[in-house]
PDB file of all heavy atoms in Angstrom:
ATOM      1  N   GLN A 146      60.455  30.796 -22.189  1.00 97.00           N
ATOM      2  CA  GLN A 146      61.285  31.358 -21.121  1.00 97.00           C
ATOM      3  C   GLN A 146      61.427  30.376 -19.940  1.00 97.00           C
ATOM      4  O   GLN A 146      62.067  30.695 -18.945  1.00 97.00           O
ATOM      5  CB  GLN A 146      60.673  32.671 -20.606  1.00 97.00           C
ATOM      6  CG  GLN A 146      61.059  33.896 -21.415  1.00 97.00           C
ATOM      7  CD  GLN A 146      60.499  33.879 -22.821  1.00 97.00           C
ATOM      8  OE1 GLN A 146      59.383  33.442 -23.059  1.00 97.00           O
ATOM      9  NE2 GLN A 146      61.296  34.347 -23.775  1.00 97.00           N
ATOM     10  N   ALA A 147      60.825  29.195 -20.075  1.00 96.00           N
ATOM     11  CA  ALA A 147      60.739  28.265 -18.938  1.00 96.00           C
ATOM     12  C   ALA A 147      62.075  28.020 -18.244  1.00 96.00           C
ATOM     13  O   ALA A 147      62.149  27.991 -17.020  1.00 96.00           O
ATOM     14  CB  ALA A 147      60.129  26.941 -19.389  1.00 96.00           C
ATOM     15  N   TYR A 148      63.131  27.813 -19.040  1.00 96.00           N
ATOM     16  CA  TYR A 148      64.416  27.450 -18.428  1.00 96.00           C
ATOM     17  C   TYR A 148      65.389  28.619 -18.342  1.00 96.00           C
ATOM     18  O   TYR A 148      66.564  28.438 -18.075  1.00 96.00           O
ATOM     19  CB  TYR A 148      65.011  26.239 -19.171  1.00 96.00           C
ATOM     20  CG  TYR A 148      64.100  25.038 -18.996  1.00 96.00           C
ATOM     21  CD1 TYR A 148      63.229  24.643 -20.015  1.00 96.00           C
ATOM     22  CD2 TYR A 148      64.051  24.350 -17.782  1.00 96.00           C
ATOM     23  CE1 TYR A 148      62.353  23.580 -19.836  1.00 96.00           C
ATOM     24  CE2 TYR A 148      63.181  23.282 -17.594  1.00 96.00           C
ATOM     25  CZ  TYR A 148      62.331  22.903 -18.625  1.00 96.00           C
ATOM     26  OH  TYR A 148      61.473  21.869 -18.420  1.00 96.00           O
ATOM     27  N   LYS A 149      64.842  29.818 -18.532  1.00 95.00           N
ATOM     28  CA  LYS A 149      65.678  31.010 -18.342  1.00 95.00           C
ATOM     29  C   LYS A 149      65.578  31.477 -16.893  1.00 95.00           C
ATOM     30  O   LYS A 149      64.692  31.059 -16.157  1.00 95.00           O
ATOM     31  CB  LYS A 149      65.208  32.126 -19.276  1.00 95.00           C
ATOM     32  CG  LYS A 149      65.471  31.810 -20.741  1.00 95.00           C
ATOM     33  CD  LYS A 149      65.076  32.998 -21.616  1.00 95.00           C
ATOM     34  CE  LYS A 149      65.303  32.655 -23.083  1.00 95.00           C
ATOM     35  NZ  LYS A 149      64.578  33.589 -23.942  1.00 95.00           N
ATOM     36  N   PHE A 150      66.491  32.375 -16.531  1.00 94.00           N
ATOM     37  CA  PHE A 150      66.441  32.952 -15.196  1.00 94.00           C
ATOM     38  C   PHE A 150      65.718  34.303 -15.256  1.00 94.00           C
ATOM     39  O   PHE A 150      65.679  34.931 -16.327  1.00 94.00           O
ATOM     40  CB  PHE A 150      67.858  33.102 -14.637  1.00 94.00           C
ATOM     41  CG  PHE A 150      68.471  31.771 -14.329  1.00 94.00           C
ATOM     42  CD1 PHE A 150      69.245  31.102 -15.277  1.00 94.00           C
ATOM     43  CD2 PHE A 150      68.225  31.145 -13.105  1.00 94.00           C
ATOM     44  CE1 PHE A 150      69.779  29.849 -15.000  1.00 94.00           C
ATOM     45  CE2 PHE A 150      68.751  29.891 -12.818  1.00 94.00           C
ATOM     46  CZ  PHE A 150      69.530  29.237 -13.774  1.00 94.00           C
ATOM     47  N   PRO A 151      65.145  34.760 -14.164  1.00 94.00           N
ATOM     48  CA  PRO A 151      64.356  35.999 -14.185  1.00 94.00           C
ATOM     49  C   PRO A 151      65.085  37.174 -14.835  1.00 94.00           C
ATOM     50  O   PRO A 151      64.475  37.951 -15.573  1.00 94.00           O
ATOM     51  CB  PRO A 151      64.076  36.267 -12.709  1.00 94.00           C
ATOM     52  CG  PRO A 151      64.051  34.914 -12.082  1.00 94.00           C
ATOM     53  CD  PRO A 151      65.062  34.100 -12.840  1.00 94.00           C
ATOM     54  N   SER A 152      66.393  37.275 -14.617  1.00 93.00           N
ATOM     55  CA  SER A 152      67.131  38.439 -15.158  1.00 93.00           C
ATOM     56  C   SER A 152      67.132  38.461 -16.688  1.00 93.00           C
ATOM     57  O   SER A 152      67.418  39.497 -17.291  1.00 93.00           O
ATOM     58  CB  SER A 152      68.569  38.427 -14.643  1.00 93.00           C
ATOM     59  OG  SER A 152      69.198  37.233 -15.083  1.00 93.00           O
ATOM     60  N   GLU A 153      66.836  37.312 -17.314  1.00 95.00           N
ATOM     61  CA  GLU A 153      66.837  37.261 -18.785  1.00 95.00           C
ATOM     62  C   GLU A 153      65.491  37.650 -19.381  1.00 95.00           C
ATOM     63  O   GLU A 153      65.330  37.669 -20.599  1.00 95.00           O
ATOM     64  CB  GLU A 153      67.200  35.848 -19.254  1.00 95.00           C
ATOM     65  CG  GLU A 153      68.572  35.378 -18.764  1.00 95.00           C
ATOM     66  CD  GLU A 153      68.810  33.914 -19.077  1.00 95.00           C
ATOM     67  OE1 GLU A 153      69.089  33.599 -20.247  1.00 95.00           O
ATOM     68  OE2 GLU A 153      68.693  33.092 -18.151  1.00 95.00           O
ATOM     69  N   LEU A 154      64.504  37.944 -18.535  1.00 96.00           N
ATOM     70  CA  LEU A 154      63.159  38.247 -19.030  1.00 96.00           C
ATOM     71  C   LEU A 154      62.885  39.748 -19.010  1.00 96.00           C
ATOM     72  O   LEU A 154      63.448  40.478 -18.191  1.00 96.00           O
ATOM     73  CB  LEU A 154      62.099  37.550 -18.149  1.00 96.00           C
ATOM     74  CG  LEU A 154      61.673  36.143 -18.569  1.00 96.00           C
ATOM     75  CD1 LEU A 154      62.844  35.188 -18.558  1.00 96.00           C
ATOM     76  CD2 LEU A 154      60.557  35.645 -17.653  1.00 96.00           C
ATOM     77  N   SER A 155      61.964  40.182 -19.868  1.00 96.00           N
ATOM     78  CA  SER A 155      61.522  41.578 -19.825  1.00 96.00           C
ATOM     79  C   SER A 155      60.578  41.752 -18.635  1.00 96.00           C
ATOM     80  O   SER A 155      60.109  40.762 -18.052  1.00 96.00           O
ATOM     81  CB  SER A 155      60.770  41.914 -21.115  1.00 96.00           C
ATOM     82  OG  SER A 155      59.500  41.265 -21.103  1.00 96.00           O
ATOM     83  N   GLY A 156      60.283  42.989 -18.300  1.00 95.00           N
ATOM     84  CA  GLY A 156      59.383  43.270 -17.176  1.00 95.00           C
ATOM     85  C   GLY A 156      58.033  42.611 -17.352  1.00 95.00           C
ATOM     86  O   GLY A 156      57.507  41.976 -16.426  1.00 95.00           O
ATOM     87  N   GLY A 157      57.471  42.759 -18.556  1.00 95.00           N
ATOM     88  CA  GLY A 157      56.152  42.178 -18.816  1.00 95.00           C
ATOM     89  C   GLY A 157      56.178  40.670 -18.670  1.00 95.00           C
ATOM     90  O   GLY A 157      55.259  40.067 -18.101  1.00 95.00           O
ATOM     91  N   GLN A 158      57.257  40.044 -19.161  1.00 96.00           N
ATOM     92  CA  GLN A 158      57.380  38.584 -19.045  1.00 96.00           C
ATOM     93  C   GLN A 158      57.499  38.169 -17.571  1.00 96.00           C
ATOM     94  O   GLN A 158      56.911  37.185 -17.141  1.00 96.00           O
ATOM     95  CB  GLN A 158      58.605  38.096 -19.827  1.00 96.00           C
ATOM     96  CG  GLN A 158      58.405  38.196 -21.340  1.00 96.00           C
ATOM     97  CD  GLN A 158      59.680  37.887 -22.105  1.00 96.00           C
ATOM     98  OE1 GLN A 158      60.789  38.164 -21.630  1.00 96.00           O
ATOM     99  NE2 GLN A 158      59.527  37.334 -23.299  1.00 96.00           N
ATOM    100  N   LYS A 159      58.269  38.962 -16.818  1.00 96.00           N
ATOM    101  CA  LYS A 159      58.421  38.639 -15.396  1.00 96.00           C
ATOM    102  C   LYS A 159      57.079  38.721 -14.671  1.00 96.00           C
ATOM    103  O   LYS A 159      56.754  37.889 -13.839  1.00 96.00           O
ATOM    104  CB  LYS A 159      59.419  39.596 -14.732  1.00 96.00           C
ATOM    105  CG  LYS A 159      60.862  39.173 -14.932  1.00 96.00           C
ATOM    106  CD  LYS A 159      61.791  39.991 -14.075  1.00 96.00           C
ATOM    107  CE  LYS A 159      62.459  41.046 -14.916  1.00 96.00           C
ATOM    108  NZ  LYS A 159      63.648  41.649 -14.341  1.00 96.00           N
ATOM    109  N   GLN A 160      56.296  39.752 -15.021  1.00 96.00           N
ATOM    110  CA  GLN A 160      55.010  39.872 -14.330  1.00 96.00           C
ATOM    111  C   GLN A 160      54.084  38.735 -14.733  1.00 96.00           C
ATOM    112  O   GLN A 160      53.342  38.208 -13.906  1.00 96.00           O
ATOM    113  CB  GLN A 160      54.369  41.252 -14.559  1.00 96.00           C
ATOM    114  CG  GLN A 160      53.212  41.570 -13.630  1.00 96.00           C
ATOM    115  CD  GLN A 160      53.608  41.480 -12.148  1.00 96.00           C
ATOM    116  OE1 GLN A 160      53.971  40.401 -11.639  1.00 96.00           O
ATOM    117  NE2 GLN A 160      53.546  42.587 -11.427  1.00 96.00           N
ATOM    118  N   ARG A 161      54.149  38.306 -16.005  1.00 96.00           N
ATOM    119  CA  ARG A 161      53.311  37.176 -16.409  1.00 96.00           C
ATOM    120  C   ARG A 161      53.757  35.908 -15.690  1.00 96.00           C
ATOM    121  O   ARG A 161      52.935  35.090 -15.285  1.00 96.00           O
ATOM    122  CB  ARG A 161      53.352  37.004 -17.934  1.00 96.00           C
ATOM    123  CG  ARG A 161      52.421  38.013 -18.622  1.00 96.00           C
ATOM    124  CD  ARG A 161      52.436  37.855 -20.107  1.00 96.00           C
ATOM    125  NE  ARG A 161      53.515  38.628 -20.715  1.00 96.00           N
ATOM    126  CZ  ARG A 161      54.085  38.363 -21.883  1.00 96.00           C
ATOM    127  NH1 ARG A 161      53.679  37.327 -22.592  1.00 96.00           N
ATOM    128  NH2 ARG A 161      55.042  39.125 -22.358  1.00 96.00           N
ATOM    129  N   ALA A 162      55.060  35.773 -15.480  1.00 96.00           N
ATOM    130  CA  ALA A 162      55.558  34.621 -14.715  1.00 96.00           C
ATOM    131  C   ALA A 162      55.049  34.685 -13.278  1.00 96.00           C
ATOM    132  O   ALA A 162      54.652  33.671 -12.700  1.00 96.00           O
ATOM    133  CB  ALA A 162      57.088  34.596 -14.730  1.00 96.00           C
ATOM    134  N   SER A 163      55.015  35.889 -12.719  1.00 95.00           N
ATOM    135  CA  SER A 163      54.572  35.933 -11.325  1.00 95.00           C
ATOM    136  C   SER A 163      53.053  35.742 -11.221  1.00 95.00           C
ATOM    137  O   SER A 163      52.567  35.232 -10.220  1.00 95.00           O
ATOM    138  CB  SER A 163      55.098  37.165 -10.594  1.00 95.00           C
ATOM    139  OG  SER A 163      54.376  38.293 -10.950  1.00 95.00           O
ATOM    140  N   ILE A 164      52.327  36.077 -12.282  1.00 97.00           N
ATOM    141  CA  ILE A 164      50.890  35.737 -12.296  1.00 97.00           C
ATOM    142  C   ILE A 164      50.740  34.210 -12.336  1.00 97.00           C
ATOM    143  O   ILE A 164      49.932  33.633 -11.603  1.00 97.00           O
ATOM    144  CB  ILE A 164      50.166  36.389 -13.503  1.00 97.00           C
ATOM    145  CG1 ILE A 164      50.156  37.914 -13.355  1.00 97.00           C
ATOM    146  CG2 ILE A 164      48.728  35.864 -13.609  1.00 97.00           C
ATOM    147  CD1 ILE A 164      49.570  38.652 -14.549  1.00 97.00           C
ATOM    148  N   ALA A 165      51.563  33.572 -13.185  1.00 96.00           N
ATOM    149  CA  ALA A 165      51.518  32.101 -13.264  1.00 96.00           C
ATOM    150  C   ALA A 165      51.802  31.499 -11.891  1.00 96.00           C
ATOM    151  O   ALA A 165      51.129  30.566 -11.452  1.00 96.00           O
ATOM    152  CB  ALA A 165      52.527  31.602 -14.295  1.00 96.00           C
ATOM    153  N   ARG A 166      52.786  32.046 -11.202  1.00 94.00           N
ATOM    154  CA  ARG A 166      53.113  31.533  -9.867  1.00 94.00           C
ATOM    155  C   ARG A 166      51.928  31.691  -8.911  1.00 94.00           C
ATOM    156  O   ARG A 166      51.624  30.807  -8.119  1.00 94.00           O
ATOM    157  CB  ARG A 166      54.342  32.253  -9.300  1.00 94.00           C
ATOM    158  CG  ARG A 166      54.733  31.750  -7.910  1.00 94.00           C
ATOM    159  CD  ARG A 166      55.889  32.535  -7.327  1.00 94.00           C
ATOM    160  NE  ARG A 166      55.582  33.967  -7.329  1.00 94.00           N
ATOM    161  CZ  ARG A 166      56.467  34.916  -7.058  1.00 94.00           C
ATOM    162  NH1 ARG A 166      57.719  34.591  -6.768  1.00 94.00           N
ATOM    163  NH2 ARG A 166      56.112  36.185  -7.082  1.00 94.00           N
ATOM    164  N   SER A 167      51.252  32.824  -9.002  1.00 95.00           N
ATOM    165  CA  SER A 167      50.128  33.050  -8.080  1.00 95.00           C
ATOM    166  C   SER A 167      48.982  32.076  -8.348  1.00 95.00           C
ATOM    167  O   SER A 167      48.146  31.847  -7.492  1.00 95.00           O
ATOM    168  CB  SER A 167      49.638  34.496  -8.189  1.00 95.00           C
ATOM    169  OG  SER A 167      48.833  34.655  -9.342  1.00 95.00           O
TER     170      SER A 167
END
Side-chain angles (χ1 to χ4, degrees):
Q146 275 67 37
Y148 296 101
K149 292 184 182 163
F150 290 92
S152 61
E153 301 172 76
L154 270 61
S155 72
Q158 289 172 328
K159 277 190 258 197
Q160 194 57 296
R161 280 181 273 155
S163 77
I164 294 175
R166 180 184 54 190
S167 78

